[in-house]
Amino acid sequence: MTDGQTDVPHGAQLRVLASPPEATWRVVVCPHAGGAASYYRRLVLARDRGVGGAPGSPRGSSAPFASAPEVVAVQYPGRETRFGEPPVQTMTDLLADVAGPVRALLADDVPTVLLGHSLGASVAVRVAAGLGPGEAPDLLVVSGRATRADRPRSGGRDGDGSDVVGPGRLTARDDSALRTWITALGGTPPELLADAEFFALHARVLRADLAVHDSLGTAAAGEATEITAPLLLLAGSDDVASPPEAVAPWAERARAGVRRRVVEGGHFFVGDRAPEVVEALRVALTAVAAGTYADQVARLAAEERWVWSREIVAADLRRLADAGAAS
């Protein structure tokens, strides 16, 4: 095992960001909209800023999964090492490209966390769907992804966290709208956004990923799926796109236990607070291995479920009314 970005035997869809010889567990990441594999090298660097040295898991500890994990990131078409390939435009096509290699990787005996951030959470949930014992990830992590954003056809009001992937209305994606939206989310230095060449390259894959998000409105790609793997929900405390309360309803799909963790930061807390995130993954995976994870099934209270359902119905009625007024 070596550090560095290399292909794994399953093809260009997967990039090994680090594979330390002492690793006893693995993290596989499905990136956010517009994201590429290299962004998640921050999870690798996290080991030098606390992972393996944090309280309760010191370096050299015999605690389960105390060593730094192997980190593998999914590489979507059209970026970095796959720049020469055209980006895909639908979730169906994206899954056709990446699901096979990820599922093949999950089939070995290495305890594996499958983490999807933002749009990547919708990818990860669908990759894991239908996998049986011995095939599914040991832990599935939905990070920075509002539940209703996973089904855009549900509509929603501006600012309520339900249309978290697009800048304003899903059709308002000119350069100005994209820049404004990216700036609001954070995570991209302003000087890069001001660079015309960088922005053109970034907008190319971002618009494709936004089209993938839009495609969730179709029956096949947008189907709500039960989550049979242990589920960890991660949310940024100050995430304007997917606030903690918008991430929480994912718990309704969990069938093998679910826990929630709010991390200080905005939408890109995964990179900004990488040591804390990796430690949260380690703690959760340890509980899974100990067989105690499902002891804490964090279901929504009946009143929370009612409010959430009522808001979805109201959003659907508004969408139908808007469609009728436009016709």
Side-chain angles (χ1 to χ4, degrees), residues 1-2 8 16-20 23-28 44 67-72 105 108 110:
M1 294 184 181
T2 59
V8 297
V16 177
L17 303 183
S19 187
T24 58
W25 59 298
R26 174 192 294 131
V27 178
V28 180
V44 176
S67 62
E70 178 179 71
V71 179
V72 180
L105 189 62
D108 66 17
V110 177

mmCIF file of all heavy atoms in Angstrom, residues 1-2 8 16-20 23-28 44 67-72 105 108 110:
data_model
loop_
_atom_site.group_PDB
_atom_site.id
_atom_site.type_symbol
_atom_site.label_atom_id
_atom_site.label_comp_id
_atom_site.label_asym_id
_atom_site.label_seq_id
_atom_site.Cartn_x
_atom_site.Cartn_y
_atom_site.Cartn_z
ATOM 1 N N MET A 1 0.837 -1.191 0.000
ATOM 2 C CA MET A 1 0.000 0.000 0.000
ATOM 3 C C MET A 1 0.874 1.243 0.000
ATOM 4 O O MET A 1 1.906 1.286 0.653
ATOM 5 C CB MET A 1 -0.891 0.027 1.235
ATOM 6 C CG MET A 1 -1.934 -1.090 1.257
ATOM 7 S SD MET A 1 -3.027 -0.951 2.677
ATOM 8 C CE MET A 1 -4.063 -2.369 2.424
ATOM 9 N N THR A 2 0.446 2.251 -0.738
ATOM 10 C CA THR A 2 1.221 3.480 -0.833
ATOM 11 C C THR A 2 0.308 4.686 -0.779
ATOM 12 O O THR A 2 -0.872 4.601 -1.086
ATOM 13 C CB THR A 2 2.018 3.542 -2.150
ATOM 14 O OG1 THR A 2 1.105 3.465 -3.238
ATOM 15 C CG2 THR A 2 3.020 2.401 -2.233
ATOM 16 N N VAL A 8 -7.194 2.138 -8.782
ATOM 17 C CA VAL A 8 -7.327 0.816 -8.196
ATOM 18 C C VAL A 8 -7.703 -0.124 -9.330
ATOM 19 O O VAL A 8 -8.051 0.307 -10.419
ATOM 20 C CB VAL A 8 -8.395 0.808 -7.078
ATOM 21 C CG1 VAL A 8 -7.964 1.720 -5.947
ATOM 22 C CG2 VAL A 8 -9.731 1.237 -7.591
ATOM 23 N N VAL A 16 -7.308 5.980 -5.560
ATOM 24 C CA VAL A 16 -6.773 5.750 -4.228
ATOM 25 C C VAL A 16 -5.984 6.982 -3.814
ATOM 26 O O VAL A 16 -4.975 7.311 -4.424
ATOM 27 C CB VAL A 16 -5.868 4.507 -4.189
ATOM 28 C CG1 VAL A 16 -5.274 4.338 -2.794
ATOM 29 C CG2 VAL A 16 -6.651 3.268 -4.576
ATOM 30 N N LEU A 17 -6.471 7.677 -2.799
ATOM 31 C CA LEU A 17 -5.793 8.878 -2.320
ATOM 32 C C LEU A 17 -4.740 8.543 -1.274
ATOM 33 O O LEU A 17 -3.753 9.256 -1.137
ATOM 34 C CB LEU A 17 -6.807 9.870 -1.752
ATOM 35 C CG LEU A 17 -7.922 10.288 -2.722
ATOM 36 C CD1 LEU A 17 -8.833 11.327 -2.072
ATOM 37 C CD2 LEU A 17 -7.339 10.834 -4.017
ATOM 38 N N ALA A 18 -4.955 7.482 -0.530
ATOM 39 C CA ALA A 18 -3.965 6.991 0.429
ATOM 40 C C ALA A 18 -4.302 5.560 0.784
ATOM 41 O O ALA A 18 -5.470 5.210 0.929
ATOM 42 C CB ALA A 18 -3.931 7.855 1.685
ATOM 43 N N SER A 19 -3.264 4.738 0.926
ATOM 44 C CA SER A 19 -3.465 3.358 1.326
ATOM 45 C C SER A 19 -2.321 2.958 2.258
ATOM 46 O O SER A 19 -1.412 2.231 1.876
ATOM 47 C CB SER A 19 -3.507 2.445 0.093
ATOM 48 O OG SER A 19 -3.859 1.132 0.455
ATOM 49 N N PRO A 20 -2.343 3.470 3.494
ATOM 50 C CA PRO A 20 -1.251 3.177 4.425
ATOM 51 C C PRO A 20 -1.185 1.695 4.758
ATOM 52 O O PRO A 20 -2.222 1.028 4.861
ATOM 53 C CB PRO A 20 -1.607 4.012 5.661
ATOM 54 C CG PRO A 20 -3.066 4.298 5.539
ATOM 55 C CD PRO A 20 -3.364 4.348 4.080
ATOM 56 N N ALA A 23 -3.400 0.305 7.542
ATOM 57 C CA ALA A 23 -4.843 0.565 7.502
ATOM 58 C C ALA A 23 -5.636 -0.708 7.737
ATOM 59 O O ALA A 23 -5.347 -1.752 7.155
ATOM 60 C CB ALA A 23 -5.220 1.178 6.164
ATOM 61 N N THR A 24 -6.660 -0.600 8.594
ATOM 62 C CA THR A 24 -7.559 -1.732 8.863
ATOM 63 C C THR A 24 -8.974 -1.439 8.402
ATOM 64 O O THR A 24 -9.862 -2.271 8.585
ATOM 65 C CB THR A 24 -7.582 -2.053 10.368
ATOM 66 O OG1 THR A 24 -8.000 -0.880 11.094
ATOM 67 C CG2 THR A 24 -6.206 -2.486 10.857
ATOM 68 N N TRP A 25 -9.186 -0.230 7.822
ATOM 69 C CA TRP A 25 -10.512 0.135 7.348
ATOM 70 C C TRP A 25 -10.369 1.086 6.176
ATOM 71 O O TRP A 25 -9.284 1.566 5.879
ATOM 72 C CB TRP A 25 -11.370 0.718 8.451
ATOM 73 C CG TRP A 25 -10.840 1.952 9.128
ATOM 74 C CD1 TRP A 25 -9.688 2.063 9.842
ATOM 75 C CD2 TRP A 25 -11.473 3.231 9.196
ATOM 76 N NE1 TRP A 25 -9.548 3.337 10.351
ATOM 77 C CE2 TRP A 25 -10.638 4.077 9.977
ATOM 78 C CE3 TRP A 25 -12.665 3.753 8.700
ATOM 79 C CZ2 TRP A 25 -10.946 5.411 10.254
ATOM 80 C CZ3 TRP A 25 -12.987 5.077 8.975
ATOM 81 C CH2 TRP A 25 -12.125 5.887 9.743
ATOM 82 N N ARG A 26 -11.489 1.322 5.509
ATOM 83 C CA ARG A 26 -11.465 2.096 4.272
ATOM 84 C C ARG A 26 -12.616 3.091 4.251
ATOM 85 O O ARG A 26 -13.713 2.806 4.754
ATOM 86 C CB ARG A 26 -11.593 1.144 3.075
ATOM 87 C CG ARG A 26 -11.722 1.822 1.725
ATOM 88 C CD ARG A 26 -12.134 0.839 0.636
ATOM 89 N NE ARG A 26 -11.118 -0.163 0.363
ATOM 90 C CZ ARG A 26 -11.352 -1.464 0.298
ATOM 91 N NH1 ARG A 26 -12.586 -1.926 0.503
ATOM 92 N NH2 ARG A 26 -10.383 -2.303 0.026
ATOM 93 N N VAL A 27 -12.374 4.248 3.642
ATOM 94 C CA VAL A 27 -13.419 5.231 3.380
ATOM 95 C C VAL A 27 -13.495 5.435 1.871
ATOM 96 O O VAL A 27 -12.487 5.741 1.225
ATOM 97 C CB VAL A 27 -13.124 6.584 4.064
ATOM 98 C CG1 VAL A 27 -14.222 7.594 3.732
ATOM 99 C CG2 VAL A 27 -12.997 6.415 5.575
ATOM 100 N N VAL A 28 -14.676 5.235 1.302
ATOM 101 C CA VAL A 28 -14.923 5.475 -0.114
ATOM 102 C C VAL A 28 -15.854 6.677 -0.218
ATOM 103 O O VAL A 28 -16.916 6.693 0.413
ATOM 104 C CB VAL A 28 -15.555 4.250 -0.808
ATOM 105 C CG1 VAL A 28 -15.812 4.533 -2.290
ATOM 106 C CG2 VAL A 28 -14.654 3.031 -0.654
ATOM 107 N N VAL A 44 -7.218 12.473 3.909
ATOM 108 C CA VAL A 44 -5.918 11.837 4.104
ATOM 109 C C VAL A 44 -5.062 12.701 5.020
ATOM 110 O O VAL A 44 -4.450 12.224 5.977
ATOM 111 C CB VAL A 44 -5.206 11.637 2.755
ATOM 112 C CG1 VAL A 44 -3.808 11.063 2.969
ATOM 113 C CG2 VAL A 44 -6.030 10.739 1.843
ATOM 114 N N SER A 67 -5.988 3.048 13.401
ATOM 115 C CA SER A 67 -5.061 3.527 12.375
ATOM 116 C C SER A 67 -5.795 4.381 11.350
ATOM 117 O O SER A 67 -7.024 4.352 11.246
ATOM 118 C CB SER A 67 -4.395 2.338 11.666
ATOM 119 O OG SER A 67 -5.369 1.542 11.012
ATOM 120 N N ALA A 68 -5.043 5.150 10.598
ATOM 121 C CA ALA A 68 -5.636 5.949 9.527
ATOM 122 C C ALA A 68 -6.217 5.024 8.464
ATOM 123 O O ALA A 68 -5.656 3.972 8.172
ATOM 124 C CB ALA A 68 -4.581 6.856 8.908
ATOM 125 N N PRO A 69 -7.346 5.402 7.862
ATOM 126 C CA PRO A 69 -7.980 4.524 6.866
ATOM 127 C C PRO A 69 -7.357 4.659 5.484
ATOM 128 O O PRO A 69 -6.708 5.662 5.171
ATOM 129 C CB PRO A 69 -9.418 5.033 6.843
ATOM 130 C CG PRO A 69 -9.267 6.504 7.109
ATOM 131 C CD PRO A 69 -8.145 6.620 8.106
ATOM 132 N N GLU A 70 -7.580 3.650 4.673
ATOM 133 C CA GLU A 70 -7.383 3.822 3.237
ATOM 134 C C GLU A 70 -8.497 4.758 2.753
ATOM 135 O O GLU A 70 -9.642 4.646 3.192
ATOM 136 C CB GLU A 70 -7.495 2.477 2.523
ATOM 137 C CG GLU A 70 -7.361 2.587 1.020
ATOM 138 C CD GLU A 70 -7.442 1.231 0.325
ATOM 139 O OE1 GLU A 70 -8.554 0.652 0.281
ATOM 140 O OE2 GLU A 70 -6.406 0.752 -0.151
ATOM 141 N N VAL A 71 -8.156 5.692 1.884
ATOM 142 C CA VAL A 71 -9.144 6.629 1.357
ATOM 143 C C VAL A 71 -9.206 6.487 -0.156
ATOM 144 O O VAL A 71 -8.190 6.628 -0.852
ATOM 145 C CB VAL A 71 -8.810 8.090 1.733
ATOM 146 C CG1 VAL A 71 -9.857 9.040 1.147
ATOM 147 C CG2 VAL A 71 -8.744 8.259 3.255
ATOM 148 N N VAL A 72 -10.394 6.171 -0.656
ATOM 149 C CA VAL A 72 -10.639 6.010 -2.087
ATOM 150 C C VAL A 72 -11.757 6.959 -2.473
ATOM 151 O O VAL A 72 -12.784 7.027 -1.793
ATOM 152 C CB VAL A 72 -11.041 4.558 -2.431
ATOM 153 C CG1 VAL A 72 -11.299 4.414 -3.929
ATOM 154 C CG2 VAL A 72 -9.968 3.577 -1.975
ATOM 155 N N LEU A 105 -15.524 -3.039 -5.169
ATOM 156 C CA LEU A 105 -14.619 -2.714 -4.067
ATOM 157 C C LEU A 105 -15.234 -3.098 -2.727
ATOM 158 O O LEU A 105 -14.540 -3.575 -1.821
ATOM 159 C CB LEU A 105 -14.302 -1.221 -4.094
ATOM 160 C CG LEU A 105 -13.209 -0.712 -3.148
ATOM 161 C CD1 LEU A 105 -11.868 -1.351 -3.472
ATOM 162 C CD2 LEU A 105 -13.112 0.800 -3.221
ATOM 163 N N ASP A 108 -14.921 -6.941 -0.955
ATOM 164 C CA ASP A 108 -13.826 -7.585 -0.233
ATOM 165 C C ASP A 108 -14.107 -7.546 1.271
ATOM 166 O O ASP A 108 -15.172 -7.135 1.717
ATOM 167 C CB ASP A 108 -12.470 -6.967 -0.593
ATOM 168 C CG ASP A 108 -12.335 -5.522 -0.140
ATOM 169 O OD1 ASP A 108 -13.130 -5.091 0.726
ATOM 170 O OD2 ASP A 108 -11.443 -4.820 -0.650
ATOM 171 N N VAL A 110 -12.543 -5.839 3.667
ATOM 172 C CA VAL A 110 -12.086 -4.659 4.398
ATOM 173 C C VAL A 110 -13.301 -3.889 4.921
ATOM 174 O O VAL A 110 -14.184 -3.528 4.138
ATOM 175 C CB VAL A 110 -11.242 -3.743 3.484
ATOM 176 C CG1 VAL A 110 -10.823 -2.475 4.234
ATOM 177 C CG2 VAL A 110 -10.022 -4.490 2.973
#
